[in-house]
Amino acid sequence: MSTPESGTEEDAFAVNDPSIRRMRRYGRIFLGLCMVAALVGIVALIALLYDVVSEAWGWVTWEFITHPPSMIVDHYNPSNYGDLPTGPGGIYPALVGSIYLIVFTAIFTLVLGVGAAIYLEEYAGDNRLTQLIEANIANLAGVPSIVYGLLGLALFVRAIGAGSSLIAGALTLTLLILPIVIVQTQEALRAVPDSMRQASYGAGATKWQTIRSVVLPEAIPGIMTGIILSLSRAIGETAPIIMVGAATSMFGPPNLTDPTGSFAAMPMQIFEWAKAPEAEFQHVAAAGIVVLLTVLLLMNAVAIYIRNKYDRRG
Amino acid sequence: MTANGPQTVASSESSGSATDAAMTDDAPLGSPRVDDAVIESRDLDVYYGDDQALHGINMDIPERKVTALIGPSGCGKSTFLRSINRMNDLIDIARVDGDLYFHGKDVYDDDVDPVALRRKIGMVFQKPNPFPKSIFDNVAYGLRVQGKDDGDVEKKVRTALERAALLDEVEDQLDSSGLDLSGGQQQRLCIARAIAPDPEVILMDEPASALDPVATSKIEDLVEELAEEYTVVIVTHNMQQAARISDKTAVFLTGGHLVEFDDTGKIFENPESDRVEDYITGKFG
């Protein structure tokens, strides 16, 4: 088809045009490569889940979920439950500690993250300072979590004197996910059509009324999804928790009346089990991972549910 | 300006007041002054950054009449409409020079609160933009934000829906979402929302341009009825629509100039400006 004389009218729609066939072949190769790329992630995830679940099979019991940990690996084995004077070993304090940690982190994140995003998106003018703040937030999202752990240790544990406490841990995790939450909340606010804001101003609303009655209700599904997904990242973070000094093994859940008391969290507990010398502790660690993953998947399910429930436009 | 100082003095003496003198500098053809003006624009310039969107607009808007603003795309008619209730304030780069009087008060004075102004001057937008709330809550929105929800909200909502010729169609589904309505119904819902707090003026920015002919004709009938109680300013690029429903017509032509303002009949039958005549008869635009 490169020269005008090369085709007569009859060839114009020929079914076997070689150049079209060649392009189709390239298209199929490209499709194949894209499918392989998509499968790598899924296969890796399934392999990981299979490995963990098969290791943990038979070790995740109700007793495991409801009892404090033990130094002796036999205490975790369900076949020994019958003859244990001290009761079975489990993950209970760390599970409750992680849940408290996430609840506090959620409260701090909601206030600070949504507040900052509303300021940046709705109030701040488009000036150098705002651009500087936004560029910094984007960069902070990429800072390794251990660095936040060091900051938490210096600032919350030492300077403020919160000690290796739940509050210090939650504040550190809040710093860690705050940049992501701010960016996602900003995107949710930006997705509210300007025509909604105009309609509100046109009806004689003030800026605050517009944000409260129109913008926030529209943006809440996006904001909640962003926060919950960030929290499910936070619940699995180990490095900041180590730096802040979470207890390796606690025998009871954290005491909420003592704000500077120590706490245990699941990633830390799993890490302790995984580095224990006895081979059977690998099963205990896997059981802990299954509990952690279950909590995480439940949180993601809540996020998806909220998104679907409030997303009226489908 | 100093060189033609004597001329300025002469013209202000002959016409009697400073605003009249200002008006003659940049007056459109036709009769830009009306007796019962609610809104008076005097040498109004609007800039978006370095671009000047409106050049010295001088015109009056009469009370309880329909005033149409027509002209080709980009001629500044929507900009002028949005400068009346200071919606242009929401655009960072927009800047306004000159005066715009509402009941004799310059709305761009420092002591004018744009929110209070917008409570007197309601607005209907080009694309129907109901909130994702129930039909009832949509209409009640203006009442609630303006603190006018102390009395019988339900009655006010029903009255507004009735005036917007929508009540019969939605009477049984006031609790269902405003987004479930058809485009034409949504726009009448937006009109009900605008009139529920009982403003004096209603600004309409091409309210029927996104609608089909049947819905359009319903909106047009409604506009004429609304003018019995409200001052209506309507932007349209549909000249037949302007001819059908308006009492006064302002013709803006490209570049943000108001070329002619007069009774609608005069504009469409015998305009003074040749350019307006060309535009009306479809030779350009």
Side-chain angles (χ1 to χ4, degrees), chain A residues 125-126 195-207 209-210 212-214 217-218 312-313, chain B residues 82 85 87 90 92 115 118-119 121-123 125 129-133 141-142 144-146 179 193:
Chain A
D126 189 22
S195 65
M196 293 286 121
R197 294 184 181 82
Q198 303 234 354
S200 177
Y201 289 126
T206 62
K207 187 156 203 157
Q209 287 173 320
T210 301
R212 189 197 58 193
S213 311
V214 174
E218 272 288 277
R312 277 153 293 197
R313 296 203 184 84
Chain B
R82 300 164 72 86
N85 66 343
M87 286 296 276
L90 303 175
D92 284 342
V115 171
R118 291 182 203 127
R119 292 177 178 191
I121 305 179
M123 189 160 198
F125 298 82
N129 54 359
F131 299 122
K133 303 173 188 281
Y141 185 80
R144 286 180 180 147
V145 296
Q146 298 186 21
L179 296 176
R193 182 176 65 193

Side-chain angles (χ1 to χ4, degrees), chain B residues 5 24 45 48 53 61 92 100 109 125 127 162 166 177 223 253:
Chain B
T24 53
D45 298 327
Y48 293 127
I61 291 168
D92 284 342
L100 195 130
D109 276 353
F125 298 82
K127 209 171 137 257
E162 183 149 30
L166 188 61
S177 171
V223 168
L253 292 178

Side-chain angles (χ1 to χ4, degrees), chain A residues 21 59 154 174:
Chain A
R21 257 183 21 218
W59 291 73
T174 300

Side-chain angles (χ1 to χ4, degrees), chain A residues 121-184:
Chain A
E121 204 54 39
E122 303 289 331
Y123 286 99
D126 189 22
N127 54 34
R128 284 279 173 85
L129 181 67
T130 317
Q131 285 168 5
L132 190 73
I133 292 174
E134 293 198 353
N136 267 308
I137 289 172
N139 285 331
L140 283 174
V143 171
S145 58
I146 187 107
V147 177
Y148 284 102
L150 286 165
L151 177 66
L153 176 65
L155 188 61
F156 303 127
V157 178
R158 301 255 167 85
I160 292 181
S164 295
S165 64
L166 205 56
I167 299 296
L171 285 170
T172 306
L173 289 179
T174 300
L175 284 186
L176 174 72
I177 62 171
L178 206 48
I180 307 166
V181 169
I182 292 173
V183 169
Q184 281 173 339

Side-chain angles (χ1 to χ4, degrees), chain A residues 49-63:
Chain A
L49 282 177
Y50 173 79
D51 186 49
V52 170
V53 170
S54 62
E55 282 268 336
W57 196 257
W59 291 73
V60 184
T61 60
W62 181 247
E63 285 78 6

Side-chain angles (χ1 to χ4, degrees), chain B residues 154-215:
Chain B
E154 173 140 18
K155 190 166 166 247
K156 288 178 180 171
V157 167
R158 293 178 78 89
T159 308
L161 282 169
E162 183 149 30
R163 279 191 196 155
L166 188 61
L167 186 63
D168 292 345
E169 291 161 59
V170 302
E171 189 148 26
D172 305 327
Q173 43 167 331
L174 292 180
D175 290 331
S176 60
S177 171
L179 296 176
D180 294 341
L181 299 175
S182 72
Q185 289 174 322
Q186 287 189 7
Q187 194 61 298
R188 278 178 283 148
L189 179 64
C190 293
I191 292 173
R193 182 176 65 193
I195 62 182
D198 210 26
E200 281 182 53
V201 180
I202 299 169
L203 308 177
M204 297 184 159
D205 191 357
E206 301 191 31
S209 67
L211 305 180
D212 64 72
V214 176

